[in-house]
């Protein structure tokens, strides 16, 4: 980027600010996602489409969290030139975790939309095998989509800051258009439209049942886990792209955008904690459904026994 502006003050501020953001997210997110995996894999015996998606989301969040120590190290220390491939590999995995989470949340919204808006067709469209296949497809898509990152870091013999300073290849219009279009705007539209239609259908049904309220909570928690962390970060990417294209040339604006982008990208990792809202409501829904099924089965058994006893009199 050709500029006479100095970003030294921004870099100095971010060294301490990123650590203040990453450490609580790392500790809190690690505990919540490990607990979620324990609950989903060992405590909930009934696997549903929702729990499969949530397990995939927890795995992606864990991948994101396990890379935060490398980001914290790269914030303070420069890496030697021979670590460039390792850096690109870690950067690729970081974006796999981020955009894998985005696509998984969008898939959860679509799954809920099918179940609520098309309950009769849902029996053919929804299944645990289909949910597992979609989760595998998400991994394949994001792994393939992040592969160009290996070409975004310029070769050289000097030390460098990993997770910072992509080359001009990473800011090409086609790259940023695909990133914003397929990585954020597309999934965001799917999430918002499916969520709005699902909530409207639940409210128009006129049934204030516990299951309906649980579905609404899951929908709102998914919206929160998506829009709160990812909207500012992608807005920052768009603004930084305009800086790279010399659309924004004011020095003060450039430094403010650089600070905003770095803070927004750091805070985007809070999705690992916000997803815990989805885990909580999904767990409650599954346990409630299980208890309701057990109650109905025991009540049916009691009725059959009572009928048999009456007939024997």
């Amino acid at each position: 980027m050709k500029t006479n502006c100095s970003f030294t003050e921004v870099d100095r501020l971010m060294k301490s600010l990123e650590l203040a953001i990453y450490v609580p997210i790392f500790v809190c997110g690690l505990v919540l996602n490990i607990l979620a995996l324990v609950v989903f894999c060992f405590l909930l015996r009934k696997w549903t489409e929702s729990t499969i998606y949530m397990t995939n989301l927890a795995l992606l969040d864990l991948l994101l969290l396990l890379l935060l120590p490398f980001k914290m190290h790269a914030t303070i220390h420069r890496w030697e030139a021979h670590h460039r491939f390792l850096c690109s590999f870690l950067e690729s995995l970081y974006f796999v975790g981020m955009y894998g989470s985005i696509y998984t949340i969008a898939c959860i919204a679509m799954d809920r939309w099918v179940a609520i808006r098309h309950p009769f067709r849902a029996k053919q469209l929804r299944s645990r095998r289909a949910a597992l296949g979609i989760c595998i497809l998400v991994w394949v898509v994001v792994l393939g989509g992040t592969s160009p990152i290996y070409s975004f870091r310029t070769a050289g013999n000097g030390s460098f800051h990993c997770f910072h300073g992509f080359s001009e290849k990473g800011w090409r219009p086609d790259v940023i258009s695909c990133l914003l279009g397929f990585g954020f705007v597309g999934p965001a539209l799917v999430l918002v439209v499916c969520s709005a239609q699902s909530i409207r259908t639940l409210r128009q049904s006129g049934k204030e049942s516990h299951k309906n309220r649980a579905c609404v909570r899951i929908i709102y928690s998914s919206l929160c886990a998506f829009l709160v962390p990812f909207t500012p970060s992608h807005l920052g990417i768009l603004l930084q792209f305009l800086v790279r294209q010399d659309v924004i040339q004011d020095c003060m604006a450039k430094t403010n955008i650089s600070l905003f982008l770095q803070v927004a990208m750091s805070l985007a990792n809070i999705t690992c904690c916000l997803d815990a809202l989805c885990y909580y409501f999904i767990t409650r829904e599954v346990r409630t459904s299980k208890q309701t099924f057990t109650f109905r089965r025991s009540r049916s058994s009691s009725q059959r026994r009572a009928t048999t006893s009456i007939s024997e009199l």
Side-chain angles (χ1 to χ4, degrees), residues 35 37 213 285 299:
L35 285 176
L37 286 176
R213 290 194 296 270
E285 183 190 25
R299 188 174 65 177

Side-chain angles (χ1 to χ4, degrees), residues 66-278:
L66 293 176
L67 292 167
L68 288 187
F70 295 99
K71 290 202 71 178
M72 288 187 275
H73 182 274
T75 299
I76 303 173
H77 304 283
R78 296 180 68 87
W79 290 24
E80 297 298 328
H82 61 276
H83 291 313
R84 290 185 183 275
F85 180 81
L86 173 62
C87 173
S88 296
F89 176 69
L90 296 175
E91 288 170 341
S92 175
L93 289 181
Y94 178 78
F95 287 108
V96 165
M98 176 178 290
Y99 289 100
S101 297
I102 288 175
Y103 274 93
T104 302
I105 294 173
C107 289
I108 293 170
M110 291 183 64
D111 180 71
R112 286 278 158 186
W113 176 78
V114 170
I116 294 169
R117 294 278 294 184
H118 306 282
F120 297 107
R121 294 187 61 190
K123 294 181 179 180
Q124 288 79 34
L125 297 176
R126 298 176 76 236
S127 68
R128 287 175 292 182
R129 180 177 296 180
L132 181 60
I134 290 173
C135 290
I136 294 173
L137 181 62
V138 166
W139 281 89
V140 172
V141 169
V142 294
L143 282 169
T146 57
S147 58
I149 290 176
Y150 290 92
S151 65
F152 289 169
R153 191 158 294 283
T154 55
N157 297 321
S159 59
F160 65 100
H161 275 298
C162 190
F163 295 96
H164 297 280
F166 284 141
S167 68
E168 293 300 325
K169 290 182 180 179
W171 293 99
R172 295 198 316 262
D174 57 334
V175 172
I176 299 301
S177 297
C178 290
L179 177 68
L180 294 177
F182 296 104
F184 176 72
V185 176
L189 287 175
V190 169
L191 177 66
V192 172
V193 171
C194 290
S195 299
Q197 290 190 1
S198 298
I199 292 173
R200 187 182 355 174
T201 301
L202 290 171
R203 288 178 175 173
Q204 288 177 347
S205 66
K207 297 179 181 179
E208 288 296 328
S209 64
H210 175 80
K211 186 174 182 180
N212 281 9
R213 290 194 296 270
C215 286
V216 172
R217 293 191 192 103
I218 293 170
I219 293 168
Y220 278 126
S221 63
S222 297
L223 282 169
C224 178
F226 187 103
L227 297 177
V228 171
F230 297 127
T231 302
S233 59
H234 287 85
L235 175 60
I237 291 173
L238 175 61
L239 293 174
Q240 185 65 16
F241 169 71
L242 296 177
V243 170
R244 294 274 183 159
Q245 296 297 311
D246 290 329
V247 175
I248 299 176
Q249 299 183 354
D250 180 70
C251 185
M252 180 65 71
K254 288 181 178 181
T255 54
N256 289 336
I257 289 172
S258 177
L259 178 62
F260 174 76
L261 174 61
Q262 293 184 63
V263 171
M265 290 297 292
S266 300
L267 289 174
N269 298 287
I270 203 173
T271 185
C272 301
C273 302
L274 292 178
D275 287 338
L277 291 172
C278 302

